[in-house]
Amino acid sequence: MKTASLPALIGANIANSKRNFLLSSIGVTAGVSFLLFFSALGAGLKAGVEQFRGKANLLRVTTKAYNLPFFRQTSSSVITDDSLNRFRALPGVESVGAELDMLPPMQGVGRIFNLGLKTELVATGLDPGLVADDIPPQFRFAWKPDQTEPVPGLVSRTLLQIFNENFASKFPDLPRVNPDDRDAFVNFVLDFDLLLNRSFLVRSGLDAQQIKARVVGTSKLAVLVGVSFPMEFVKHVNRQHIIEQKRREKLAELRQANPDNPNVELPADFQPGEKDLRFSYRNAYIKIQNPSYLPAITAEVESMGLKIDPEVAAAGRAIDAITWVMRGLALLIIALAAVNISQTFFLVLHQRRRDFGILRAIGASRMDLRIIVMGEAFLLGLFGGVTGALIAWLGSRVADFLAIPALNDLLNRYVRQFYGPVTVDSLFAYDAMLIGAGILFAVACALTGAFWPAQRAAQLDPAAALAEN
Amino acid sequence: MAFIELKGLTREYQDGAFARRVLDAVDLSIAAGEFAAITGRSGSGKSTLLNIIGGLDTHYTGEITVDGVNLRAMGDGKLSRFRNHTCGYIFQGFNLLEHLTCLQNVLAPAAFSGERGGMEARAREVLRRVGLEDRMNQRPRTLSGGERQRTAIARALLMKPRILLCDEPTGNLDYGTADQILELFQDLNRNEDITFLIVTHEDRVAKLGKRVLRLREGKLMEEAPPQ
């Protein structure tokens, strides 16, 4: 203390009780480092999610708010041809396509090398424009009613990765198929029969239909466990399926109405209503000119009761929820630190009664004593906050060092197909506001802890404190 | 007009269910620049009287004015300023802040004075005045009793007080050192016109006082200085 000032006196007091000061600041330091570490992690992960979202120029519109096993929420809104036309009219939209579920149950029957395979299949229809880049020039992803060649199909790249890692790696006879190679199925012919209205799981009641099909390529838009076909083919199959189903329903209805006439027939001109043949799509895909249109398009789509990439939003919400839980824990640690500070200050106050009596004797007012105690708490909080921020930052660097290589490897395996090559530099996003808020919080906590001790110090009877000598 | 004036000053301490009256309707007038000794047996209320005059103890009845200002009318802020600017305290046990150096102890009152600049030079000057220019950066525990008391005196002198309230200032000092301190007091009284109120039970200290006041059973009585 060279100059005669309260801050200098406060500094000298702290220098005198370094041990208490350091012990009291441990809780604040731990709390703030925890708070900043997880806040920065949450912000970093969210920024990462947003970055992927911002990179995507193909948006998936769906009716589902989220879709988890046992936990599916569906919206009352549906995606129809009218919805697709509305999307096409939005500014910044380059093209719009849709994905349609194939209605009849089906099985796939085929051979991969010497391995005979019969499996339950899920199939969807995709607008050819959506997957034009995935089709090798030797093939066409289209279908006409009079077509004699096998129906072209696309498989998911993720499915191929699963196949490579789980099957091809275990059976040396099975080939590995590079999911990133557009021409993977040019030389490796994968033909199979599609058995419509046949299933291991459900009884269709309709006549089986066998259709030749061929895998022509891979696509990130292909259904995960199954095959995606040209939209016109799926619409045709669905239309036939609905007509047949409606015919059977109508016939059953007529027979019920005419129990005495076992030969009752459907009228020759029977057709299902137009409404029955109107499709609602599983997903729509909107190709946007650039990501700057994303907010406006998102708002418009959401106003229709639909969602854009709900998994991304759900991931953001999950990150938020986990971040808040961690912040809650950090706040608890800081609150406990405040209690600890309070107890330490009461203890220190007891030890320094004589000093406070002396200060009162030489002219300190009650307010001066409050300022001294609160000033010491302020420095303690500042020290804890800055140290906590530093520890959080160092912890982040260590976590990045350990996690980033593995994360980038993971992203390049599974996420690259959706968003192109992605590299993450850090899991954490620190900004001045976050660090400042953490330090401010530490200071506020220390001041809160010291408030009552400061009041007690101010109320001390100086004559009594000096008489205790 | 009296510089310090006490009228009907009464102070009681609560002792369980009983109230013990330490000062009982004390009247006193001290002129500016006076050197007064207050004597009495232990527990007679000497220190209490000093604390009340210095504004440290406010639990009294009666009136006390210093330089025409009624201490009771002052709030804590003004009373603290009065202690800081007008009074200097010197205690038997020195009451230095052990974690501060000699210079820092002397400078401590300036932290509450609101005055900026020049205080460090003033602190060095008063330390020189009490003969501690070569001890400025030492901590109290490394000083002798006399040096500690001189540090306390320097601290009391920093803000140029008009009153020095000394509570048994030589009680912990050997004979020779005590004489040096008393000489310093007389010098300050003579040359800087500081009013001295010294609580003591030593005749040789009381002898220095132009007035000797004895507290007995709460009453203050004037006595002739011992010969």
mmCIF file of all heavy atoms in Angstrom, chain A residues 249-294:
data_model
loop_
_atom_site.group_PDB
_atom_site.id
_atom_site.type_symbol
_atom_site.label_atom_id
_atom_site.label_comp_id
_atom_site.label_asym_id
_atom_site.label_seq_id
_atom_site.Cartn_x
_atom_site.Cartn_y
_atom_site.Cartn_z
ATOM 1 N N GLU A 249 -63.289 -53.289 -50.713
ATOM 2 C CA GLU A 249 -64.140 -52.720 -49.652
ATOM 3 C C GLU A 249 -65.575 -52.549 -50.170
ATOM 4 O O GLU A 249 -66.544 -52.849 -49.480
ATOM 5 C CB GLU A 249 -63.583 -51.368 -49.199
ATOM 6 C CG GLU A 249 -62.394 -51.489 -48.237
ATOM 7 C CD GLU A 249 -61.708 -50.156 -48.001
ATOM 8 O OE1 GLU A 249 -62.330 -49.102 -48.275
ATOM 9 O OE2 GLU A 249 -60.540 -50.175 -47.560
ATOM 10 N N LYS A 250 -65.682 -52.024 -51.394
ATOM 11 C CA LYS A 250 -67.009 -51.760 -51.967
ATOM 12 C C LYS A 250 -67.772 -53.075 -52.168
ATOM 13 O O LYS A 250 -68.963 -53.165 -51.866
ATOM 14 C CB LYS A 250 -66.829 -51.019 -53.306
ATOM 15 C CG LYS A 250 -68.116 -50.577 -53.952
ATOM 16 C CD LYS A 250 -68.764 -49.454 -53.158
ATOM 17 C CE LYS A 250 -70.116 -49.067 -53.765
ATOM 18 N NZ LYS A 250 -70.821 -48.117 -52.910
ATOM 19 N N LEU A 251 -67.016 -54.093 -52.648
ATOM 20 C CA LEU A 251 -67.639 -55.396 -52.880
ATOM 21 C C LEU A 251 -68.141 -55.994 -51.563
ATOM 22 O O LEU A 251 -69.261 -56.521 -51.489
ATOM 23 C CB LEU A 251 -66.620 -56.335 -53.543
ATOM 24 C CG LEU A 251 -67.175 -57.646 -54.085
ATOM 25 C CD1 LEU A 251 -68.239 -57.406 -55.168
ATOM 26 C CD2 LEU A 251 -66.050 -58.490 -54.674
ATOM 27 N N ALA A 252 -67.344 -55.884 -50.539
ATOM 28 C CA ALA A 252 -67.739 -56.387 -49.222
ATOM 29 C C ALA A 252 -68.975 -55.649 -48.737
ATOM 30 O O ALA A 252 -69.893 -56.257 -48.152
ATOM 31 C CB ALA A 252 -66.580 -56.203 -48.242
ATOM 32 N N GLU A 253 -69.003 -54.382 -49.027
ATOM 33 C CA GLU A 253 -70.142 -53.546 -48.621
ATOM 34 C C GLU A 253 -71.411 -54.009 -49.355
ATOM 35 O O GLU A 253 -72.479 -54.155 -48.750
ATOM 36 C CB GLU A 253 -69.790 -52.101 -49.006
ATOM 37 C CG GLU A 253 -70.557 -51.021 -48.273
ATOM 38 C CD GLU A 253 -70.080 -49.654 -48.770
ATOM 39 O OE1 GLU A 253 -68.900 -49.302 -48.516
ATOM 40 O OE2 GLU A 253 -70.862 -48.984 -49.450
ATOM 41 N N LEU A 254 -71.263 -54.261 -50.659
ATOM 42 C CA LEU A 254 -72.414 -54.694 -51.466
ATOM 43 C C LEU A 254 -72.917 -56.059 -51.012
ATOM 44 O O LEU A 254 -74.122 -56.295 -50.921
ATOM 45 C CB LEU A 254 -72.021 -54.771 -52.957
ATOM 46 C CG LEU A 254 -71.865 -53.434 -53.683
ATOM 47 C CD1 LEU A 254 -71.309 -53.635 -55.080
ATOM 48 C CD2 LEU A 254 -73.199 -52.696 -53.747
ATOM 49 N N ARG A 255 -71.976 -56.933 -50.702
ATOM 50 C CA ARG A 255 -72.364 -58.278 -50.262
ATOM 51 C C ARG A 255 -73.061 -58.236 -48.907
ATOM 52 O O ARG A 255 -73.973 -59.004 -48.642
ATOM 53 C CB ARG A 255 -71.139 -59.180 -50.204
ATOM 54 C CG ARG A 255 -70.761 -59.641 -51.598
ATOM 55 C CD ARG A 255 -69.552 -60.516 -51.617
ATOM 56 N NE ARG A 255 -69.250 -60.916 -52.985
ATOM 57 C CZ ARG A 255 -68.097 -61.400 -53.373
ATOM 58 N NH1 ARG A 255 -67.117 -61.554 -52.511
ATOM 59 N NH2 ARG A 255 -67.907 -61.744 -54.630
ATOM 60 N N GLN A 256 -72.628 -57.315 -48.101
ATOM 61 C CA GLN A 256 -73.276 -57.162 -46.785
ATOM 62 C C GLN A 256 -74.690 -56.626 -46.972
ATOM 63 O O GLN A 256 -75.619 -57.025 -46.281
ATOM 64 C CB GLN A 256 -72.439 -56.226 -45.920
ATOM 65 C CG GLN A 256 -72.699 -56.423 -44.444
ATOM 66 C CD GLN A 256 -71.773 -55.578 -43.576
ATOM 67 O OE1 GLN A 256 -71.075 -54.710 -44.082
ATOM 68 N NE2 GLN A 256 -71.771 -55.835 -42.304
ATOM 69 N N ALA A 257 -74.829 -55.719 -47.958
ATOM 70 C CA ALA A 257 -76.156 -55.128 -48.215
ATOM 71 C C ALA A 257 -77.089 -56.117 -48.927
ATOM 72 O O ALA A 257 -78.305 -55.975 -48.862
ATOM 73 C CB ALA A 257 -75.979 -53.863 -49.054
ATOM 74 N N ASN A 258 -76.495 -57.097 -49.652
ATOM 75 C CA ASN A 258 -77.313 -58.085 -50.382
ATOM 76 C C ASN A 258 -76.918 -59.495 -49.960
ATOM 77 O O ASN A 258 -76.338 -60.258 -50.742
ATOM 78 C CB ASN A 258 -77.095 -57.946 -51.899
ATOM 79 C CG ASN A 258 -77.446 -56.545 -52.384
ATOM 80 O OD1 ASN A 258 -78.602 -56.190 -52.485
ATOM 81 N ND2 ASN A 258 -76.413 -55.749 -52.641
ATOM 82 N N PRO A 259 -77.244 -59.881 -48.747
ATOM 83 C CA PRO A 259 -76.783 -61.183 -48.258
ATOM 84 C C PRO A 259 -77.396 -62.361 -49.044
ATOM 85 O O PRO A 259 -76.846 -63.443 -49.072
ATOM 86 C CB PRO A 259 -77.214 -61.184 -46.796
ATOM 87 C CG PRO A 259 -78.268 -60.147 -46.683
ATOM 88 C CD PRO A 259 -78.061 -59.167 -47.758
ATOM 89 N N ASP A 260 -78.544 -62.104 -49.738
ATOM 90 C CA ASP A 260 -79.215 -63.187 -50.476
ATOM 91 C C ASP A 260 -78.634 -63.384 -51.871
ATOM 92 O O ASP A 260 -78.973 -64.346 -52.553
ATOM 93 C CB ASP A 260 -80.709 -62.879 -50.611
ATOM 94 C CG ASP A 260 -81.337 -62.676 -49.233
ATOM 95 O OD1 ASP A 260 -80.791 -63.273 -48.264
ATOM 96 O OD2 ASP A 260 -82.297 -61.910 -49.114
ATOM 97 N N ASN A 261 -77.777 -62.487 -52.299
ATOM 98 C CA ASN A 261 -77.234 -62.581 -53.654
ATOM 99 C C ASN A 261 -75.721 -62.784 -53.608
ATOM 100 O O ASN A 261 -74.950 -61.824 -53.556
ATOM 101 C CB ASN A 261 -77.572 -61.292 -54.409
ATOM 102 C CG ASN A 261 -77.099 -61.346 -55.846
ATOM 103 O OD1 ASN A 261 -76.591 -62.379 -56.300
ATOM 104 N ND2 ASN A 261 -77.250 -60.250 -56.559
ATOM 105 N N PRO A 262 -75.277 -64.032 -53.607
ATOM 106 C CA PRO A 262 -73.827 -64.282 -53.515
ATOM 107 C C PRO A 262 -73.100 -63.882 -54.787
ATOM 108 O O PRO A 262 -71.886 -63.766 -54.798
ATOM 109 C CB PRO A 262 -73.732 -65.787 -53.285
ATOM 110 C CG PRO A 262 -75.029 -66.341 -53.764
ATOM 111 C CD PRO A 262 -76.064 -65.275 -53.694
ATOM 112 N N ASN A 263 -73.809 -63.632 -55.878
ATOM 113 C CA ASN A 263 -73.139 -63.293 -57.139
ATOM 114 C C ASN A 263 -73.077 -61.787 -57.408
ATOM 115 O O ASN A 263 -72.809 -61.360 -58.524
ATOM 116 C CB ASN A 263 -73.849 -63.966 -58.309
ATOM 117 C CG ASN A 263 -73.824 -65.479 -58.176
ATOM 118 O OD1 ASN A 263 -72.813 -66.032 -57.722
ATOM 119 N ND2 ASN A 263 -74.919 -66.130 -58.501
ATOM 120 N N VAL A 264 -73.366 -61.046 -56.385
ATOM 121 C CA VAL A 264 -73.357 -59.579 -56.587
ATOM 122 C C VAL A 264 -71.977 -59.132 -57.075
ATOM 123 O O VAL A 264 -70.937 -59.628 -56.617
ATOM 124 C CB VAL A 264 -73.782 -58.832 -55.296
ATOM 125 C CG1 VAL A 264 -72.770 -59.024 -54.194
ATOM 126 C CG2 VAL A 264 -74.030 -57.365 -55.566
ATOM 127 N N GLU A 265 -71.964 -58.234 -58.051
ATOM 128 C CA GLU A 265 -70.707 -57.770 -58.675
ATOM 129 C C GLU A 265 -70.591 -56.264 -58.533
ATOM 130 O O GLU A 265 -71.584 -55.564 -58.366
ATOM 131 C CB GLU A 265 -70.715 -58.117 -60.177
ATOM 132 C CG GLU A 265 -70.650 -59.585 -60.500
ATOM 133 C CD GLU A 265 -69.295 -60.203 -60.200
ATOM 134 O OE1 GLU A 265 -68.289 -59.475 -60.174
ATOM 135 O OE2 GLU A 265 -69.253 -61.435 -59.950
ATOM 136 N N LEU A 266 -69.366 -55.814 -58.645
ATOM 137 C CA LEU A 266 -69.140 -54.366 -58.670
ATOM 138 C C LEU A 266 -69.601 -53.801 -60.011
ATOM 139 O O LEU A 266 -69.458 -54.481 -61.024
ATOM 140 C CB LEU A 266 -67.640 -54.063 -58.546
ATOM 141 C CG LEU A 266 -67.023 -53.952 -57.165
ATOM 142 C CD1 LEU A 266 -65.531 -53.710 -57.323
ATOM 143 C CD2 LEU A 266 -67.633 -52.798 -56.392
ATOM 144 N N PRO A 267 -70.134 -52.595 -60.003
ATOM 145 C CA PRO A 267 -70.450 -51.988 -61.306
ATOM 146 C C PRO A 267 -69.172 -51.897 -62.141
ATOM 147 O O PRO A 267 -68.091 -51.662 -61.597
ATOM 148 C CB PRO A 267 -70.963 -50.594 -60.942
ATOM 149 C CG PRO A 267 -71.251 -50.632 -59.482
ATOM 150 C CD PRO A 267 -70.442 -51.724 -58.890
ATOM 151 N N ALA A 268 -69.305 -52.080 -63.441
ATOM 152 C CA ALA A 268 -68.132 -52.109 -64.330
ATOM 153 C C ALA A 268 -67.369 -50.796 -64.299
ATOM 154 O O ALA A 268 -66.127 -50.756 -64.451
ATOM 155 C CB ALA A 268 -68.573 -52.413 -65.766
ATOM 156 N N ASP A 269 -68.073 -49.696 -64.036
ATOM 157 C CA ASP A 269 -67.403 -48.387 -64.073
ATOM 158 C C ASP A 269 -66.957 -47.908 -62.678
ATOM 159 O O ASP A 269 -66.640 -46.739 -62.497
ATOM 160 C CB ASP A 269 -68.338 -47.349 -64.700
ATOM 161 C CG ASP A 269 -69.634 -47.222 -63.912
ATOM 162 O OD1 ASP A 269 -69.898 -48.127 -63.058
ATOM 163 O OD2 ASP A 269 -70.361 -46.240 -64.109
ATOM 164 N N PHE A 270 -66.886 -48.873 -61.705
ATOM 165 C CA PHE A 270 -66.527 -48.418 -60.347
ATOM 166 C C PHE A 270 -65.096 -47.873 -60.290
ATOM 167 O O PHE A 270 -64.154 -48.492 -60.763
ATOM 168 C CB PHE A 270 -66.664 -49.563 -59.330
ATOM 169 C CG PHE A 270 -66.152 -49.168 -57.968
ATOM 170 C CD1 PHE A 270 -66.932 -48.407 -57.109
ATOM 171 C CD2 PHE A 270 -64.861 -49.511 -57.561
ATOM 172 C CE1 PHE A 270 -66.447 -48.019 -55.873
ATOM 173 C CE2 PHE A 270 -64.378 -49.121 -56.323
ATOM 174 C CZ PHE A 270 -65.179 -48.372 -55.475
ATOM 175 N N GLN A 271 -64.954 -46.707 -59.715
ATOM 176 C CA GLN A 271 -63.634 -46.088 -59.485
ATOM 177 C C GLN A 271 -63.659 -45.429 -58.104
ATOM 178 O O GLN A 271 -64.680 -44.872 -57.711
ATOM 179 C CB GLN A 271 -63.359 -44.991 -60.529
ATOM 180 C CG GLN A 271 -62.924 -45.491 -61.905
ATOM 181 C CD GLN A 271 -61.561 -46.152 -61.890
ATOM 182 O OE1 GLN A 271 -60.679 -45.747 -61.150
ATOM 183 N NE2 GLN A 271 -61.401 -47.210 -62.679
ATOM 184 N N PRO A 272 -62.551 -45.503 -57.346
ATOM 185 C CA PRO A 272 -62.520 -44.761 -56.067
ATOM 186 C C PRO A 272 -62.638 -43.261 -56.320
ATOM 187 O O PRO A 272 -62.335 -42.801 -57.432
ATOM 188 C CB PRO A 272 -61.154 -45.097 -55.479
ATOM 189 C CG PRO A 272 -60.593 -46.188 -56.302
ATOM 190 C CD PRO A 272 -61.284 -46.165 -57.624
ATOM 191 N N GLY A 273 -63.054 -42.541 -55.311
ATOM 192 C CA GLY A 273 -63.180 -41.089 -55.449
ATOM 193 C C GLY A 273 -61.816 -40.428 -55.645
ATOM 194 O O GLY A 273 -60.778 -40.998 -55.276
ATOM 195 N N GLU A 274 -61.875 -39.235 -56.174
ATOM 196 C CA GLU A 274 -60.646 -38.458 -56.431
ATOM 197 C C GLU A 274 -59.878 -38.227 -55.122
ATOM 198 O O GLU A 274 -58.648 -38.261 -55.073
ATOM 199 C CB GLU A 274 -61.054 -37.130 -57.076
ATOM 200 C CG GLU A 274 -59.942 -36.350 -57.770
ATOM 201 C CD GLU A 274 -59.179 -37.182 -58.797
ATOM 202 O OE1 GLU A 274 -59.772 -38.002 -59.534
ATOM 203 O OE2 GLU A 274 -57.949 -37.009 -58.837
ATOM 204 N N LYS A 275 -60.658 -38.014 -54.035
ATOM 205 C CA LYS A 275 -60.058 -37.748 -52.725
ATOM 206 C C LYS A 275 -59.213 -38.934 -52.235
ATOM 207 O O LYS A 275 -58.153 -38.758 -51.647
ATOM 208 C CB LYS A 275 -61.176 -37.461 -51.717
ATOM 209 C CG LYS A 275 -60.747 -36.714 -50.487
ATOM 210 C CD LYS A 275 -61.948 -36.422 -49.611
ATOM 211 C CE LYS A 275 -61.598 -36.728 -48.169
ATOM 212 N NZ LYS A 275 -62.771 -36.899 -47.332
ATOM 213 N N ASP A 276 -59.727 -40.149 -52.531
ATOM 214 C CA ASP A 276 -59.006 -41.349 -52.087
ATOM 215 C C ASP A 276 -57.669 -41.504 -52.804
ATOM 216 O O ASP A 276 -56.752 -42.139 -52.293
ATOM 217 C CB ASP A 276 -59.858 -42.605 -52.350
ATOM 218 C CG ASP A 276 -61.097 -42.636 -51.477
ATOM 219 O OD1 ASP A 276 -61.001 -42.161 -50.328
ATOM 220 O OD2 ASP A 276 -62.151 -43.100 -51.950
ATOM 221 N N LEU A 277 -57.592 -40.956 -53.995
ATOM 222 C CA LEU A 277 -56.381 -41.139 -54.802
ATOM 223 C C LEU A 277 -55.395 -39.967 -54.647
ATOM 224 O O LEU A 277 -54.388 -39.897 -55.344
ATOM 225 C CB LEU A 277 -56.749 -41.306 -56.284
ATOM 226 C CG LEU A 277 -57.474 -42.613 -56.610
ATOM 227 C CD1 LEU A 277 -58.007 -42.609 -58.026
ATOM 228 C CD2 LEU A 277 -56.527 -43.799 -56.411
ATOM 229 N N ARG A 278 -55.749 -39.066 -53.756
ATOM 230 C CA ARG A 278 -54.834 -37.920 -53.542
ATOM 231 C C ARG A 278 -53.743 -38.347 -52.550
ATOM 232 O O ARG A 278 -54.056 -38.869 -51.481
ATOM 233 C CB ARG A 278 -55.628 -36.731 -52.993
ATOM 234 C CG ARG A 278 -54.931 -35.411 -53.213
ATOM 235 C CD ARG A 278 -55.805 -34.258 -52.770
ATOM 236 N NE ARG A 278 -56.981 -34.071 -53.606
ATOM 237 C CZ ARG A 278 -58.102 -33.483 -53.207
ATOM 238 N NH1 ARG A 278 -58.221 -33.034 -51.987
ATOM 239 N NH2 ARG A 278 -59.118 -33.347 -54.044
ATOM 240 N N PHE A 279 -52.506 -38.157 -52.911
ATOM 241 C CA PHE A 279 -51.408 -38.617 -52.056
ATOM 242 C C PHE A 279 -50.965 -37.533 -51.078
ATOM 243 O O PHE A 279 -50.971 -36.353 -51.415
ATOM 244 C CB PHE A 279 -50.194 -39.009 -52.900
ATOM 245 C CG PHE A 279 -50.496 -40.119 -53.867
ATOM 246 C CD1 PHE A 279 -50.366 -39.919 -55.233
ATOM 247 C CD2 PHE A 279 -50.916 -41.353 -53.404
ATOM 248 C CE1 PHE A 279 -50.653 -40.946 -56.121
ATOM 249 C CE2 PHE A 279 -51.195 -42.386 -54.295
ATOM 250 C CZ PHE A 279 -51.067 -42.172 -55.658
ATOM 251 N N SER A 280 -50.578 -37.981 -49.910
ATOM 252 C CA SER A 280 -49.846 -37.050 -49.043
ATOM 253 C C SER A 280 -48.439 -37.628 -48.870
ATOM 254 O O SER A 280 -48.275 -38.825 -48.647
ATOM 255 C CB SER A 280 -50.552 -36.851 -47.706
ATOM 256 O OG SER A 280 -50.761 -38.070 -47.082
ATOM 257 N N TYR A 281 -47.463 -36.754 -48.995
ATOM 258 C CA TYR A 281 -46.082 -37.204 -49.081
ATOM 259 C C TYR A 281 -45.458 -37.363 -47.697
ATOM 260 O O TYR A 281 -45.832 -36.679 -46.746
ATOM 261 C CB TYR A 281 -45.259 -36.201 -49.908
ATOM 262 C CG TYR A 281 -45.758 -36.115 -51.343
ATOM 263 C CD1 TYR A 281 -46.586 -35.071 -51.741
ATOM 264 C CD2 TYR A 281 -45.400 -37.075 -52.272
ATOM 265 C CE1 TYR A 281 -47.047 -34.991 -53.037
ATOM 266 C CE2 TYR A 281 -45.857 -36.996 -53.580
ATOM 267 C CZ TYR A 281 -46.687 -35.960 -53.959
ATOM 268 O OH TYR A 281 -47.137 -35.881 -55.243
ATOM 269 N N ARG A 282 -44.471 -38.237 -47.660
ATOM 270 C CA ARG A 282 -43.701 -38.431 -46.417
ATOM 271 C C ARG A 282 -42.851 -37.191 -46.143
ATOM 272 O O ARG A 282 -42.862 -36.644 -45.047
ATOM 273 C CB ARG A 282 -42.795 -39.654 -46.577
ATOM 274 C CG ARG A 282 -41.748 -39.809 -45.496
ATOM 275 C CD ARG A 282 -40.607 -40.695 -45.975
ATOM 276 N NE ARG A 282 -40.864 -42.097 -45.730
ATOM 277 C CZ ARG A 282 -40.182 -42.838 -44.841
ATOM 278 N NH1 ARG A 282 -39.212 -42.306 -44.142
ATOM 279 N NH2 ARG A 282 -40.451 -44.084 -44.664
ATOM 280 N N ASN A 283 -42.122 -36.749 -47.120
ATOM 281 C CA ASN A 283 -41.259 -35.571 -47.002
ATOM 282 C C ASN A 283 -41.321 -34.778 -48.294
ATOM 283 O O ASN A 283 -41.620 -35.335 -49.358
ATOM 284 C CB ASN A 283 -39.786 -35.967 -46.820
ATOM 285 C CG ASN A 283 -39.526 -36.656 -45.504
ATOM 286 O OD1 ASN A 283 -39.953 -36.189 -44.458
ATOM 287 N ND2 ASN A 283 -38.842 -37.787 -45.560
ATOM 288 N N ALA A 284 -41.003 -33.513 -48.181
ATOM 289 C CA ALA A 284 -40.756 -32.708 -49.381
ATOM 290 C C ALA A 284 -39.329 -32.200 -49.275
ATOM 291 O O ALA A 284 -38.796 -32.028 -48.162
ATOM 292 C CB ALA A 284 -41.730 -31.550 -49.452
ATOM 293 N N TYR A 285 -38.691 -32.002 -50.401
ATOM 294 C CA TYR A 285 -37.329 -31.451 -50.401
ATOM 295 C C TYR A 285 -37.336 -30.143 -51.168
ATOM 296 O O TYR A 285 -37.848 -30.072 -52.272
ATOM 297 C CB TYR A 285 -36.344 -32.439 -51.028
ATOM 298 C CG TYR A 285 -36.113 -33.639 -50.141
ATOM 299 C CD1 TYR A 285 -36.863 -34.783 -50.308
ATOM 300 C CD2 TYR A 285 -35.170 -33.581 -49.128
ATOM 301 C CE1 TYR A 285 -36.677 -35.879 -49.483
ATOM 302 C CE2 TYR A 285 -34.976 -34.678 -48.292
ATOM 303 C CZ TYR A 285 -35.724 -35.814 -48.474
ATOM 304 O OH TYR A 285 -35.543 -36.891 -47.643
ATOM 305 N N ILE A 286 -36.805 -29.115 -50.519
ATOM 306 C CA ILE A 286 -36.748 -27.802 -51.164
ATOM 307 C C ILE A 286 -35.282 -27.472 -51.400
ATOM 308 O O ILE A 286 -34.493 -27.408 -50.448
ATOM 309 C CB ILE A 286 -37.379 -26.704 -50.270
ATOM 310 C CG1 ILE A 286 -38.820 -27.064 -49.933
ATOM 311 C CG2 ILE A 286 -37.306 -25.356 -50.955
ATOM 312 C CD1 ILE A 286 -39.490 -26.074 -48.984
ATOM 313 N N LYS A 287 -34.946 -27.272 -52.665
ATOM 314 C CA LYS A 287 -33.580 -26.863 -52.978
ATOM 315 C C LYS A 287 -33.570 -25.345 -53.025
ATOM 316 O O LYS A 287 -34.359 -24.747 -53.771
ATOM 317 C CB LYS A 287 -33.154 -27.457 -54.318
ATOM 318 C CG LYS A 287 -31.678 -27.372 -54.580
ATOM 319 C CD LYS A 287 -31.299 -28.228 -55.766
ATOM 320 C CE LYS A 287 -29.790 -28.241 -55.921
ATOM 321 N NZ LYS A 287 -29.363 -29.032 -57.057
ATOM 322 N N ILE A 288 -32.722 -24.741 -52.175
ATOM 323 C CA ILE A 288 -32.715 -23.274 -52.131
ATOM 324 C C ILE A 288 -31.476 -22.729 -52.835
ATOM 325 O O ILE A 288 -30.459 -23.420 -52.961
ATOM 326 C CB ILE A 288 -32.804 -22.737 -50.677
ATOM 327 C CG1 ILE A 288 -31.653 -23.257 -49.817
ATOM 328 C CG2 ILE A 288 -34.117 -23.105 -50.060
ATOM 329 C CD1 ILE A 288 -31.649 -22.666 -48.413
ATOM 330 N N GLN A 289 -31.622 -21.474 -53.321
ATOM 331 C CA GLN A 289 -30.513 -20.890 -54.097
ATOM 332 C C GLN A 289 -29.283 -20.681 -53.221
ATOM 333 O O GLN A 289 -28.162 -20.929 -53.641
ATOM 334 C CB GLN A 289 -30.964 -19.571 -54.724
ATOM 335 C CG GLN A 289 -31.910 -19.807 -55.885
ATOM 336 C CD GLN A 289 -32.740 -18.593 -56.226
ATOM 337 O OE1 GLN A 289 -32.491 -17.502 -55.707
ATOM 338 N NE2 GLN A 289 -33.730 -18.774 -57.081
ATOM 339 N N ASN A 290 -29.504 -20.198 -51.994
ATOM 340 C CA ASN A 290 -28.396 -20.099 -51.029
ATOM 341 C C ASN A 290 -28.975 -20.042 -49.617
ATOM 342 O O ASN A 290 -30.161 -19.746 -49.436
ATOM 343 C CB ASN A 290 -27.478 -18.902 -51.338
ATOM 344 C CG ASN A 290 -28.205 -17.588 -51.217
ATOM 345 O OD1 ASN A 290 -28.695 -17.266 -50.147
ATOM 346 N ND2 ASN A 290 -28.312 -16.855 -52.324
ATOM 347 N N PRO A 291 -28.128 -20.316 -48.620
ATOM 348 C CA PRO A 291 -28.655 -20.436 -47.234
ATOM 349 C C PRO A 291 -29.271 -19.149 -46.681
ATOM 350 O O PRO A 291 -29.972 -19.195 -45.674
ATOM 351 C CB PRO A 291 -27.420 -20.840 -46.425
ATOM 352 C CG PRO A 291 -26.512 -21.472 -47.405
ATOM 353 C CD PRO A 291 -26.730 -20.737 -48.684
ATOM 354 N N SER A 292 -29.053 -18.009 -47.339
ATOM 355 C CA SER A 292 -29.621 -16.760 -46.803
ATOM 356 C C SER A 292 -31.149 -16.779 -46.858
ATOM 357 O O SER A 292 -31.809 -16.024 -46.151
ATOM 358 C CB SER A 292 -29.066 -15.552 -47.558
ATOM 359 O OG SER A 292 -29.554 -15.579 -48.872
ATOM 360 N N TYR A 293 -31.704 -17.632 -47.731
ATOM 361 C CA TYR A 293 -33.170 -17.712 -47.821
ATOM 362 C C TYR A 293 -33.768 -18.580 -46.712
ATOM 363 O O TYR A 293 -34.976 -18.640 -46.552
ATOM 364 C CB TYR A 293 -33.577 -18.293 -49.180
ATOM 365 C CG TYR A 293 -33.328 -17.342 -50.331
ATOM 366 C CD1 TYR A 293 -32.238 -17.512 -51.176
ATOM 367 C CD2 TYR A 293 -34.186 -16.270 -50.571
ATOM 368 C CE1 TYR A 293 -32.008 -16.639 -52.227
ATOM 369 C CE2 TYR A 293 -33.958 -15.394 -51.622
ATOM 370 C CZ TYR A 293 -32.871 -15.583 -52.443
ATOM 371 O OH TYR A 293 -32.651 -14.712 -53.463
ATOM 372 N N LEU A 294 -32.889 -19.274 -45.980
ATOM 373 C CA LEU A 294 -33.358 -20.262 -45.003
ATOM 374 C C LEU A 294 -34.353 -19.682 -43.988
ATOM 375 O O LEU A 294 -35.423 -20.260 -43.782
ATOM 376 C CB LEU A 294 -32.154 -20.901 -44.295
ATOM 377 C CG LEU A 294 -32.463 -21.981 -43.278
ATOM 378 C CD1 LEU A 294 -33.213 -23.136 -43.915
ATOM 379 C CD2 LEU A 294 -31.180 -22.491 -42.641
#
